Amino acid sequence: EKFRDGLTKTRDNFVGAMNELVKDYRTVDEEFFEELEELLIGADVGVNTVMELVDTLRDEAKRRNIKDAKDIQPVISEKLAELLQKSEDETELRVNADGLTVYLFVGVNGVGKTTSIGKLAHKLKAEGKKVMLAAGDTFRAGAIEQLEVWGERAGVDVIKQQAGSDPAAVMYDAIHSAKSKGVDVLLCDTAGRLQNKVNLMNELEKVKRVLTREIPDAPHEVLLVLDATTGQNAMSQAKTFGQSTEVTGIVLTKLDGTAKGGIVLAIRNELDIPVKLVGLGEGADDLHEFNAEQYVNGLFA
Ligand code: GDP
């Protein structure tokens, strides 16, 4: 349901053309594959991924002796799902079974980082978990207040210091407070400065060291937040952050706001980082665990 609604724009853009392409009178020939390639590239799937996918489909069509375009549609769905999710459990957030779980959120300003933290707090709280937020973006004016608004909305504590303070000090406070209050999940915001890669890397490493000192395998996830509407820009942000710290999962926001939802494929396949959460709207309930099968069904529904 959620995926179907959230992917309306992508579907309108993509599926009309796809339906045209898989009409039953069409023959699966080289021209068919070329049109399919164009269509997928137009949906921001990414050239390398498209080439890989279409090569696989060519082989499958030959192997299964598929002649009619309508018969290849289920194979397209199947192969898309395989590209999107390499293993069944890769989209699940890692949890510390022995106590406090810590997630670090990274990403540039405006991608929906604060909103995603707020939504996840809401979701985890609804699942019965005790949640705390750490206002680690001490750099951007308004970031702390914005996180507090979400904290209030979700009914969870926010650990903060004044603007301009050391993010690592905020993390130190937060992890101690979380441990002493028996918190289950601590969600940590960070500043998203990309202008200076060395600073970014140093800051993230310092923050991580503070967390790791208290809990050896913390942070349990480093989640990079990317805005789906920014297409190739999101890809280059991912590469920069990937060079600055080890990213364990992607939160892809604003999928509802793009007609080019194919970016998910490019991200999963070309960056080799699993997409764990997707944002399908601005509301508190609009963050979802990514599910490849539902996503693909949402595309063709
Ligand atoms: P930050 O600077 O990265 O913390 O970004 P914000 O969390 O402030 O979000 C920027 C804008 O994007 C806000 O207006 C959010 O409501 C909006 N936004 C965030 N996630 C989504 C989403 O999944 N869908 C839509 N439509 N808007 C979103």
Side-chain angles (χ1 to χ4, degrees):
E1 256 323 288
K2 289 280 181 186
F3 276 84
R4 201 162 300 158
D5 293 346
L7 291 170
T8 305
K9 285 192 187 168
T10 295
R11 190 167 56 245
D12 289 351
N13 175 45
F14 175 73
V15 172
M18 184 62 102
N19 283 342
E20 204 53 40
L21 197 59
V22 296
K23 266 190 184 153
D24 46 25
Y25 59 78
R26 285 237 22 191
T27 315
V28 176
D29 52 15
E30 207 30 54
E31 197 188 318
F32 171 86
F33 285 118
E34 274 165 28
E35 274 183 48
L36 180 63
E37 263 173 28
E38 246 172 72
L39 179 68
L40 292 167
I41 290 170
D44 256 5
V45 172
V47 178
N48 295 341
T49 305
V50 172
M51 294 306 167
E52 189 185 325
L53 177 68
V54 173
D55 279 346
T56 311
L57 289 171
R58 264 198 203 95
D59 293 347
E60 282 296 291
K62 204 179 278 175
R63 199 174 63 78
R64 301 192 202 182
N65 200 21
I66 295 171
K67 297 271 193 305
D68 278 356
K70 72 169 169 8
D71 296 327
I72 204 163
Q73 202 251 289
V75 188
I76 299 175
S77 295
E78 182 189 317
K79 295 297 161 192
L80 282 175
E82 278 175 22
L83 278 181
L84 279 168
Q85 195 168 338
K86 315 274 184 200
S87 71
E88 210 170 305
D89 57 0
E90 71 169 27
T91 57
E92 284 168 25
L93 294 173
R94 279 182 57 210
V95 171
N96 177 11
D98 302 326
L100 179 61
T101 299
V102 183
Y103 300 147
L104 193 65
F105 286 76
V106 301
V108 303
N109 293 338
V111 292
K113 190 152 43 80
T114 317
T115 307
S116 298
I117 294 172
K119 287 173 177 172
L120 186 60
H122 176 83
K123 186 173 172 348
L124 292 169
K125 190 151 185 251
E127 290 167 8
K129 304 231 166 65
K130 188 163 181 187
V131 182
M132 183 179 272
L133 309 182
D137 184 354
T138 57
F139 184 72
R140 181 169 66 92
I144 300 169
E145 290 76 14
Q146 206 189 336
L147 200 68
E148 283 188 297
V149 170
W150 272 105
E152 221 162 275
R153 201 178 293 171
V156 306
D157 286 344
V158 180
I159 301 300
K160 56 162 188 175
Q161 291 183 5
Q162 72 265 39
S165 57
D166 183 353
V170 179
M171 295 308 155
Y172 183 85
D173 274 2
I175 198 156
H176 279 269
S177 177
K179 277 168 95 176
S180 73
K181 289 187 175 154
V183 165
D184 298 307
V185 190
L186 175 65
L187 306 178
C188 305
D189 196 6
T190 62
R193 274 175 289 175
L194 262 195
Q195 298 84 334
N196 189 328
K197 270 196 231 176
V198 177
N199 276 355
L200 176 75
M201 182 150 64
N202 288 344
E203 186 167 307
L204 290 176
E205 286 314 308
K206 193 171 164 196
V207 159
K208 279 170 78 174
R209 267 201 309 277
V210 168
L211 299 172
T212 309
R213 211 182 297 138
E214 298 302 321
I215 301 174
D217 57 350
H220 301 91
E221 296 276 2
V222 177
L223 298 168
L224 172 62
V225 185
L226 297 173
D227 177 344
T229 66
T230 63
Q232 291 308 308
N233 232 331
M235 294 292 288
S236 71
Q237 284 166 24
K239 282 173 193 151
T240 307
F241 273 95
Q243 287 159 5
S244 300
T245 190
E246 195 198 333
V247 174
T248 60
I250 303 284
V251 180
L252 192 62
T253 64
K254 310 185 200 179
L255 258 183
D256 55 307
T258 177
K260 298 188 169 192
I263 190 72
V264 188
L265 280 146
I267 287 172
R268 174 65 194 97
N269 203 49
E270 284 167 37
L271 302 172
D272 204 25
I273 305 170
V275 176
K276 300 216 167 182
L277 298 166
V278 290
L280 296 171
E282 291 189 88
D285 292 319
D286 293 327
L287 187 75
H288 301 275
E289 264 154 50
F290 183 69
N291 178 300
E293 208 178 312
Q294 282 174 19
Y295 175 84
V296 173
N297 289 340
L299 280 184
F300 289 106

